[in-house]
């Protein structure tokens, strides 16, 4: 990944203070993750538990590395996710929130979570609508074990840069309008992170730009 590593440096240098790069390492081997760590990356995002666990084991000596779960949350994986990921970005419904809250209590963990929103039609994605968040406010305010930190969004394909900016701004406005601690905004991937940063992203999830194109 020598070539991509230069992209990584440029990306890191371009981020203003308060914005964190989450290097999306799905499909990437442990030794490549170690190289990115050597280049200063401390936050890594994975979307599948089965794939992540062996890599975590091989990298267990890097004790200041933080793992972020960014994939579709399956109820039967919730326990393993709570056990292994201090950050969970893709909490997309009240049903999964409730389950994570219960398991976090059982395991005495306090993971930081982000609520994945979907403020536009997209059949390939799940996520809270603004209305669903409003309806769940009292329950979200009463969470004891999960630490609610912000919102996460993935844009639909095919938007122009202007439309992307507007969509990310909509997420930022929603976060500000709700009486919840939503100071973190996880938005922006390799193809749209400049617009996400312009709209106030605090966590960008970048994979292929750093590690090269994925074959799977
Ligand atoms: C794969 C993935 C990314 C990274 O995508 P790139 O286009 O490779 O940067 C970011 N967020 C989520 C949720 C992903 O699944």
């Amino acid at each position: 990944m020598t070539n991509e590593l230069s992209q990584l440096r440029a990306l890191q240098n371009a981020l203003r203070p308060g914005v964190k790069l989450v290097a999306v390492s799905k499909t990437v081997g442990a030794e490549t993750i170690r190289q990115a760590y050597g280049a200063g990356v401390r936050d890594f995002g994975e979307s599948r538990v089965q794939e992540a666990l062996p890599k975590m084991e091989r990298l267990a000596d890097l004790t200041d590395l933080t793992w972020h779960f960014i994939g579709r949350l399956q109820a039967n994986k919730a326990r393993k996710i709570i056990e292994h990921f201090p950050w969970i970005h893709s909490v997309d419904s009240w049903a999964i929130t409730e389950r994570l809250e219960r398991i976090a209590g059982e395991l005495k963990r306090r993971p930081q979570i982000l609520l994945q929103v979907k403020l536009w039609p997209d059949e390939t994605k799940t996520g809270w609508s603004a209305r669903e968040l409003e309806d769940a406010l009292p329950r979200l305010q009463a969470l004891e074990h999960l630490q609610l930190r912000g919102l996460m969004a993935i844009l639909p394909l095919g938007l122009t840069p202007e439309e992307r900016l507007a969509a990310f701004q909509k997420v930022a406005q929603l976060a500000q309008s709700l009486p919840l601690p939503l100071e973190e905004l996880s938005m922006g991937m390799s193809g749209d992170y400049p617009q996400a940063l312009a709209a106030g992203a605090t966590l960008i999830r970048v994979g292929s730009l750093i590690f090269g194109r994925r074959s799977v």
Side-chain angles (χ1 to χ4, degrees), residues 30-44:
E31 288 320 304
T32 306
I33 296 176
R34 195 178 286 279
Q35 284 178 40
Y37 178 92
V41 182
R42 291 295 178 271
D43 293 84
F44 291 89

PDB file of all heavy atoms in Angstrom, residues 30-44:
ATOM      1  N   ALA A  30      -4.283  -7.855   8.657  1.00  0.00           N
ATOM      2  CA  ALA A  30      -3.759  -7.291   9.904  1.00  0.00           C
ATOM      3  C   ALA A  30      -2.428  -6.561   9.688  1.00  0.00           C
ATOM      4  O   ALA A  30      -2.179  -5.525  10.304  1.00  0.00           O
ATOM      5  CB  ALA A  30      -3.604  -8.390  10.947  1.00  0.00           C
ATOM      6  N   GLU A  31      -1.579  -7.091   8.810  1.00  0.00           N
ATOM      7  CA  GLU A  31      -0.269  -6.453   8.649  1.00  0.00           C
ATOM      8  C   GLU A  31      -0.385  -5.090   7.969  1.00  0.00           C
ATOM      9  O   GLU A  31       0.379  -4.167   8.253  1.00  0.00           O
ATOM     10  CB  GLU A  31       0.695  -7.379   7.894  1.00  0.00           C
ATOM     11  CG  GLU A  31       1.140  -8.570   8.741  1.00  0.00           C
ATOM     12  CD  GLU A  31       1.422  -8.186  10.211  1.00  0.00           C
ATOM     13  OE1 GLU A  31       2.246  -7.278  10.451  1.00  0.00           O
ATOM     14  OE2 GLU A  31       0.806  -8.783  11.122  1.00  0.00           O
ATOM     15  N   THR A  32      -1.362  -4.960   7.075  1.00  0.00           N
ATOM     16  CA  THR A  32      -1.588  -3.652   6.440  1.00  0.00           C
ATOM     17  C   THR A  32      -2.161  -2.659   7.457  1.00  0.00           C
ATOM     18  O   THR A  32      -1.813  -1.481   7.461  1.00  0.00           O
ATOM     19  CB  THR A  32      -2.532  -3.811   5.236  1.00  0.00           C
ATOM     20  OG1 THR A  32      -1.984  -4.819   4.379  1.00  0.00           O
ATOM     21  CG2 THR A  32      -2.657  -2.514   4.460  1.00  0.00           C
ATOM     22  N   ILE A  33      -3.026  -3.162   8.315  1.00  0.00           N
ATOM     23  CA  ILE A  33      -3.557  -2.305   9.389  1.00  0.00           C
ATOM     24  C   ILE A  33      -2.392  -1.826  10.268  1.00  0.00           C
ATOM     25  O   ILE A  33      -2.311  -0.656  10.644  1.00  0.00           O
ATOM     26  CB  ILE A  33      -4.603  -3.072  10.227  1.00  0.00           C
ATOM     27  CG1 ILE A  33      -5.807  -3.427   9.351  1.00  0.00           C
ATOM     28  CG2 ILE A  33      -5.022  -2.261  11.449  1.00  0.00           C
ATOM     29  CD1 ILE A  33      -6.868  -4.264  10.049  1.00  0.00           C
ATOM     30  N   ARG A  34      -1.454  -2.735  10.530  1.00  0.00           N
ATOM     31  CA  ARG A  34      -0.297  -2.372  11.336  1.00  0.00           C
ATOM     32  C   ARG A  34       0.517  -1.258  10.661  1.00  0.00           C
ATOM     33  O   ARG A  34       1.051  -0.369  11.327  1.00  0.00           O
ATOM     34  CB  ARG A  34       0.568  -3.623  11.574  1.00  0.00           C
ATOM     35  CG  ARG A  34       1.602  -3.482  12.668  1.00  0.00           C
ATOM     36  CD  ARG A  34       2.363  -4.783  12.868  1.00  0.00           C
ATOM     37  NE  ARG A  34       1.600  -5.817  13.547  1.00  0.00           N
ATOM     38  CZ  ARG A  34       1.427  -5.883  14.875  1.00  0.00           C
ATOM     39  NH1 ARG A  34       1.988  -4.995  15.652  1.00  0.00           N
ATOM     40  NH2 ARG A  34       0.720  -6.848  15.418  1.00  0.00           N
ATOM     41  N   GLN A  35       0.607  -1.322   9.348  1.00  0.00           N
ATOM     42  CA  GLN A  35       1.330  -0.250   8.627  1.00  0.00           C
ATOM     43  C   GLN A  35       0.624   1.089   8.781  1.00  0.00           C
ATOM     44  O   GLN A  35       1.262   2.118   8.966  1.00  0.00           O
ATOM     45  CB  GLN A  35       1.419  -0.576   7.140  1.00  0.00           C
ATOM     46  CG  GLN A  35       2.456  -1.629   6.789  1.00  0.00           C
ATOM     47  CD  GLN A  35       2.418  -1.907   5.286  1.00  0.00           C
ATOM     48  OE1 GLN A  35       2.268  -0.986   4.485  1.00  0.00           O
ATOM     49  NE2 GLN A  35       2.543  -3.168   4.921  1.00  0.00           N
ATOM     50  N   ALA A  36      -0.709   1.057   8.671  1.00  0.00           N
ATOM     51  CA  ALA A  36      -1.462   2.308   8.834  1.00  0.00           C
ATOM     52  C   ALA A  36      -1.296   2.827  10.262  1.00  0.00           C
ATOM     53  O   ALA A  36      -1.177   4.038  10.484  1.00  0.00           O
ATOM     54  CB  ALA A  36      -2.935   2.077   8.498  1.00  0.00           C
ATOM     55  N   TYR A  37      -1.276   1.929  11.212  1.00  0.00           N
ATOM     56  CA  TYR A  37      -1.019   2.304  12.611  1.00  0.00           C
ATOM     57  C   TYR A  37       0.345   2.988  12.695  1.00  0.00           C
ATOM     58  O   TYR A  37       0.506   4.037  13.332  1.00  0.00           O
ATOM     59  CB  TYR A  37      -1.060   1.061  13.494  1.00  0.00           C
ATOM     60  CG  TYR A  37      -0.750   1.331  14.949  1.00  0.00           C
ATOM     61  CD1 TYR A  37      -1.769   1.615  15.852  1.00  0.00           C
ATOM     62  CD2 TYR A  37       0.564   1.304  15.419  1.00  0.00           C
ATOM     63  CE1 TYR A  37      -1.491   1.871  17.186  1.00  0.00           C
ATOM     64  CE2 TYR A  37       0.850   1.558  16.747  1.00  0.00           C
ATOM     65  CZ  TYR A  37      -0.176   1.841  17.632  1.00  0.00           C
ATOM     66  OH  TYR A  37       0.106   2.104  18.940  1.00  0.00           O
ATOM     67  N   GLY A  38       1.331   2.403  12.010  1.00  0.00           N
ATOM     68  CA  GLY A  38       2.672   2.984  12.001  1.00  0.00           C
ATOM     69  C   GLY A  38       2.672   4.395  11.419  1.00  0.00           C
ATOM     70  O   GLY A  38       3.517   5.220  11.773  1.00  0.00           O
ATOM     71  N   ALA A  39       1.713   4.663  10.533  1.00  0.00           N
ATOM     72  CA  ALA A  39       1.606   5.994   9.937  1.00  0.00           C
ATOM     73  C   ALA A  39       0.755   6.930  10.794  1.00  0.00           C
ATOM     74  O   ALA A  39       0.446   8.047  10.382  1.00  0.00           O
ATOM     75  CB  ALA A  39       1.012   5.883   8.528  1.00  0.00           C
ATOM     76  N   GLY A  40       0.352   6.452  11.962  1.00  0.00           N
ATOM     77  CA  GLY A  40      -0.327   7.341  12.898  1.00  0.00           C
ATOM     78  C   GLY A  40      -1.815   7.129  13.068  1.00  0.00           C
ATOM     79  O   GLY A  40      -2.448   7.805  13.875  1.00  0.00           O
ATOM     80  N   VAL A  41      -2.421   6.202  12.318  1.00  0.00           N
ATOM     81  CA  VAL A  41      -3.860   5.974  12.464  1.00  0.00           C
ATOM     82  C   VAL A  41      -4.121   5.179  13.742  1.00  0.00           C
ATOM     83  O   VAL A  41      -3.411   4.216  14.030  1.00  0.00           O
ATOM     84  CB  VAL A  41      -4.422   5.196  11.248  1.00  0.00           C
ATOM     85  CG1 VAL A  41      -5.929   5.008  11.389  1.00  0.00           C
ATOM     86  CG2 VAL A  41      -4.089   5.916   9.959  1.00  0.00           C
ATOM     87  N   ARG A  42      -5.105   5.599  14.522  1.00  0.00           N
ATOM     88  CA  ARG A  42      -5.425   4.899  15.764  1.00  0.00           C
ATOM     89  C   ARG A  42      -6.854   4.368  15.777  1.00  0.00           C
ATOM     90  O   ARG A  42      -7.230   3.623  16.680  1.00  0.00           O
ATOM     91  CB  ARG A  42      -5.231   5.841  16.966  1.00  0.00           C
ATOM     92  CG  ARG A  42      -3.756   6.196  17.215  1.00  0.00           C
ATOM     93  CD  ARG A  42      -2.973   4.957  17.622  1.00  0.00           C
ATOM     94  NE  ARG A  42      -1.551   5.229  17.820  1.00  0.00           N
ATOM     95  CZ  ARG A  42      -0.641   5.149  16.848  1.00  0.00           C
ATOM     96  NH1 ARG A  42      -0.987   4.823  15.616  1.00  0.00           N
ATOM     97  NH2 ARG A  42       0.638   5.392  17.094  1.00  0.00           N
ATOM     98  N   ASP A  43      -7.660   4.772  14.811  1.00  0.00           N
ATOM     99  CA  ASP A  43      -9.060   4.346  14.772  1.00  0.00           C
ATOM    100  C   ASP A  43      -9.320   3.555  13.503  1.00  0.00           C
ATOM    101  O   ASP A  43      -9.001   4.023  12.402  1.00  0.00           O
ATOM    102  CB  ASP A  43      -9.976   5.574  14.822  1.00  0.00           C
ATOM    103  CG  ASP A  43      -9.870   6.283  16.155  1.00  0.00           C
ATOM    104  OD1 ASP A  43      -8.942   7.105  16.331  1.00  0.00           O
ATOM    105  OD2 ASP A  43     -10.681   5.986  17.043  1.00  0.00           O
ATOM    106  N   PHE A  44      -9.906   2.373  13.670  1.00  0.00           N
ATOM    107  CA  PHE A  44     -10.167   1.509  12.534  1.00  0.00           C
ATOM    108  C   PHE A  44     -11.619   1.054  12.553  1.00  0.00           C
ATOM    109  O   PHE A  44     -12.180   0.791  13.616  1.00  0.00           O
ATOM    110  CB  PHE A  44      -9.218   0.300  12.543  1.00  0.00           C
ATOM    111  CG  PHE A  44      -7.790   0.694  12.251  1.00  0.00           C
ATOM    112  CD1 PHE A  44      -6.940   1.068  13.283  1.00  0.00           C
ATOM    113  CD2 PHE A  44      -7.319   0.729  10.948  1.00  0.00           C
ATOM    114  CE1 PHE A  44      -5.630   1.464  13.017  1.00  0.00           C
ATOM    115  CE2 PHE A  44      -6.009   1.122  10.678  1.00  0.00           C
ATOM    116  CZ  PHE A  44      -5.166   1.499  11.713  1.00  0.00           C
TER     117      PHE A  44
END
